[in-house]
């Protein structure tokens, strides 16, 4: 286990380069299993979730080499079709192997996945999609087993625009005869990136980025070289870091349209944001105004930035409200922030935050990946020393966050717990 020790050191200043998107790289890595041959993926973040994903690929026969932000893969003609529990338990995205493996195999098995403890994360929509295309789904020894004869294209309505279900169905539909239509599909930029990757391999996916995605099955696939989009959640975290420290930070390698929900909210709160092509300048002000944040599927406010936002709102003037509509346990960060002096009341899925004039350093726990990042941000401005325990969660999603922040003038030390 690692821990972070943070001491306040004034406003952050300088430039930071954002890595490739974790949530785009994960499904793209799984999707390489849809064909065989050599792939090169660029802008893959060097984070532990990606390491687990490549270890899973290795365990079923794929050779991988991860050097800095480049991953080379050699996918054999045949891979194993059962994902080992010891690896899958570490990462929710292991469920994406179902859709990818189903393209070339008749029977696949993936353990019910792990990942962040942020509320119930069922797979009913993923499975409903496979079943609609004619597959049979069962549970055996803690694993989801999907068996298929010939898959047939279907019209699949998602009760909720689930990111993972949209991705899994999009991949499996590439092996279905005729056309599959996903209605109420997730519209996240990472869905578009996966669709672009699939199309580069030879798939016929149209409509990604809207709530209606159409997939024509039975395409021929070829391995490709591909560059992953920038990580809007890492970018958002650094934007909030600049705002909370009243700093001035330029973010490089960003797509600002992906960040509009956050840009709009921060601007409303009084933070100045200057958009340039491929970069964003964030200028924090002496005070930020309170606001209402409601998390929603894209293009709504991302649940993954709700925690960093809670840290910032703890210091806003007046009363703010956060309504968490995507993952119910994601408000438990409030208890950790309260240990640092924040004033937060939780009522169901809503957090009511009375802005305070300052936070005080404390020993706190990174309950999940984004909560951990939020606590780092709180630590940047809190008086005295903040110690974040169980910080391994943070490394699941942020590469070198300590070094990147320190280059901007912060004092963040990573130590063994
Ligand atoms: C992905 C992201 C995660 C992000 C989330 C929402 C990856 C690897 N992770 O997670 O960082 O926070 O999108 O933007 O991309 N649901 C069901 N049934 C299902 C599937 C989901 O009810 O079959 C519910 C979940 O419980 C949750 C909501 O749908 O309440 C959103 O989940 P989903 O969009 O599937 O999130 P993930 O793909 O797991």
């Amino acid at each position: 286990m690692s821990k972070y020790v943070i001491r306040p050191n004034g406003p952050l200043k300088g430039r930071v380069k954002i890595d490739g998107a974790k949530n785009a790289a994960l499904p793209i890595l799984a999707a390489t299993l849809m064909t065989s041959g050599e792939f090169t993926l660029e802008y893959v973040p060097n984070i532990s979730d990606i390491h687990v994903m490549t270890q899973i690929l290795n365990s079923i026969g794929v050779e991988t080499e991860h050097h800095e932000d480049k991953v080379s893969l050699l996918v054999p003609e045949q891979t194993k079709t059962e994902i080992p529990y010891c690896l899958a338990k570490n990462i929710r995205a292991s469920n994406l192997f179902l859709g990818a493996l189903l393209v070339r195999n008749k029977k696949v098995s993936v353990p019910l996945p792990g990942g962040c403890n942020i509320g119930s994360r069922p797979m009913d929509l993923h499975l409903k999609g496979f079943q609609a295309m004619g597959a049979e789904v069962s549970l055996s020894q803690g694993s989801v087993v999907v068996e298929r004869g010939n898959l047939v294209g279907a019209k699949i309505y998602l009760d909720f625009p689930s990111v993972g279900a949209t991705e899994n169905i999009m991949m499996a539909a590439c092996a279905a005869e005729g056309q599959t239509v996903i209605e109420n599909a997730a519209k996240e930029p990472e869905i578009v990136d996966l669709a672009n990757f699939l199309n580069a391999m030879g798939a016929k996916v149209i409509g990604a980025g809207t709530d209606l995605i159409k997939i024509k099955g039975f395409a021929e696939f070829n391995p490709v070289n591909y560059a992953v989009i920038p990580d809007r959640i890492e970018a958002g975290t650094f934007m909030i870091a600049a705002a909370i420290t009243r700093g001035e930070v330029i973010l490089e390698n960003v797509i600002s349209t992906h960040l509009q929900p956050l840009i709009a909210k921060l601007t409303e709160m009084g933070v100045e944001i200057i958009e340039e092509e491929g970069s964003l300048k964030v200028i924090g002000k002496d005070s930020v105004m309170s606001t209402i944040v409601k998390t929603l599927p894209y293009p709504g406010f991302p649940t993954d930035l709700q925690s960093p936002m809670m840290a910032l709102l703890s210091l806003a003037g007046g009363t703010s409200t956060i309504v968490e509509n995507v993952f119910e346990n994601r408000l438990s960060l409030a208890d950790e922030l309260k240990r640092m002096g924040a004033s937060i009341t939780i009522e169901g899925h809503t957090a009511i935050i009375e802005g305070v004039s300052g936070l005080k350093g404390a020993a706190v726990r990174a309950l999940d990946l984004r909560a951990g990042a939020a606590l780092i941000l709180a630590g940047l401005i809190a008086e005295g020393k903040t110690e974040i325990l169980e910080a391994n969660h943070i490394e699941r999603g942020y590469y070198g966050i300590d070094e990147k922040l320190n280059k901007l003038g912060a004092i963040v030390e990573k130590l063994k717990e």
Side-chain angles (χ1 to χ4, degrees):
M1 278 284 178
S2 57
K3 71 172 178 182
Y4 286 89
V5 177
I6 303 146
R7 291 181 176 78
N9 196 34
L12 297 185
K13 283 208 160 44
R15 306 176 86 91
V16 61
K17 185 164 173 229
I18 300 305
D19 282 311
K22 162 175 104 63
N23 289 350
L26 289 169
I28 287 172
L29 280 167
T32 60
L33 291 170
M34 290 166 57
T35 186
S36 56
E38 285 178 38
F39 290 83
T40 304
L41 305 179
E42 288 180 74
Y43 293 114
V44 179
N46 208 341
I47 51 177
S48 65
D49 267 15
I50 297 288
H51 301 159
V52 175
M53 204 69 175
T54 52
Q55 280 163 18
I56 295 177
L57 285 166
N58 299 151
S59 76
I60 59 171
V62 179
E63 287 175 34
T64 62
E65 208 180 293
H66 197 162
H67 182 64
E68 292 176 356
D69 63 358
K70 195 183 272 188
V71 177
S72 311
L73 303 101
L74 181 58
V75 184
E77 287 292 335
Q78 282 195 335
T79 62
K80 289 184 195 163
T81 55
E82 286 181 22
I83 304 297
Y85 174 68
C86 58
L87 294 169
K89 71 178 168 46
N90 297 321
I91 175 175
R92 164 89 182 163
S94 56
N95 64 13
L96 297 170
F97 284 112
L98 280 176
L101 280 170
L102 214 49
V103 173
R104 291 201 291 160
N105 302 282
K106 297 282 182 197
K107 183 176 175 184
V108 301
S109 159
V110 173
L112 282 171
C116 273
N117 180 23
I118 54 175
S120 74
R121 296 181 86 169
M123 282 190 64
D124 54 315
L125 299 172
H126 304 234
L127 304 181
K128 177 179 151 179
F130 298 144
Q131 283 166 326
M133 290 185 270
E136 278 182 28
V137 174
S138 57
L139 191 68
S140 169
Q141 307 223 305
S143 288
V144 179
V145 181
V146 184
E147 284 179 82
R148 71 173 180 94
N150 290 332
L151 291 178
V152 181
K155 198 165 163 186
I156 300 159
Y157 175 83
L158 298 182
D159 302 312
F160 187 91
S162 154
V163 172
T166 303
E167 292 168 343
N168 245 336
I169 296 168
M170 230 160 67
M171 289 188 279
C174 289
E177 190 186 338
Q179 179 170 270
T180 297
V181 179
I182 311 176
E183 294 177 334
N184 198 27
K187 295 183 280 203
E188 271 69 1
E190 294 77 17
I191 301 281
V192 179
D193 211 31
L194 174 62
N196 288 342
F197 176 73
L198 296 178
N199 287 339
M201 277 206 298
K204 296 189 178 80
V205 181
I206 55 170
T210 74
D211 54 13
L212 196 80
I213 302 181
K214 294 181 182 167
I215 306 112
K216 271 214 181 106
F218 281 2
E220 283 282 314
F221 297 114
N222 298 301
V224 291
N225 297 343
Y226 192 80
V228 174
I229 54 167
D231 196 312
R232 63 193 167 101
I233 307 301
E234 188 200 12
T237 305
F238 276 92
M239 289 169 72
I240 298 172
I244 207 168
T245 60
R246 299 159 190 177
E248 200 170 311
V249 174
I250 296 172
L251 290 91
E252 294 168 353
N253 190 36
V254 290
I255 299 176
S256 60
T257 45
H258 296 172
L259 286 155
Q260 285 312 319
L262 178 66
I263 292 174
K265 250 325 127 186
L266 288 177
T267 307
E268 195 182 302
M269 293 168 71
V271 178
E272 191 182 339
I273 296 170
I274 302 167
E275 295 180 44
E276 278 166 23
E277 213 181 300
S279 74
L280 270 180
K281 187 174 191 177
V282 183
I283 306 168
K285 302 291 167 184
D286 284 347
S287 62
V288 286
M289 286 174 273
S290 56
T291 190
I292 299 172
V293 173
K294 293 182 184 172
T295 67
L296 285 170
Y298 189 84
F301 192 91
T303 175
D304 286 350
L305 286 175
Q306 180 264 102
S307 301
M309 199 62 167
M310 187 186 278
L312 178 62
L313 292 176
S314 296
L315 293 156
T319 308
S320 300
T321 308
I322 293 179
V323 185
E324 175 53 66
N325 291 309
V326 183
F327 289 117
E328 66 273 25
N329 283 6
R330 265 211 170 147
L331 294 175
S332 41
L333 167 68
D335 287 336
E336 302 302 302
L337 286 175
K338 275 155 75 175
R339 308 192 69 239
M340 299 177 72
S343 170
I344 307 172
T345 313
I346 304 295
E347 285 177 14
H349 293 179
T350 303
I352 299 147
I353 307 162
E354 299 290 343
V356 294
S357 56
L359 295 174
K360 288 203 163 64
V364 286
R365 285 170 59 212
L367 302 168
D368 67 59
L369 160 59
R370 306 302 171 188
L375 291 168
I376 294 186
L377 304 193
L380 294 176
I381 195 81
E383 192 189 316
K385 182 173 88 170
T386 298
E387 253 188 340
I388 305 176
L389 309 177
E390 298 171 37
N392 293 51
H393 284 296
I394 301 169
E395 283 144 31
R396 290 189 40 213
Y398 295 89
Y399 177 64
I401 193 169
D402 49 338
E403 287 165 20
K404 285 185 175 184
L405 285 168
N406 290 345
K407 271 198 193 143
L408 297 171
I411 302 177
V412 181
E413 259 183 299
K414 191 169 123 185
L415 303 168
K416 285 249 171 294
E417 201 175 301

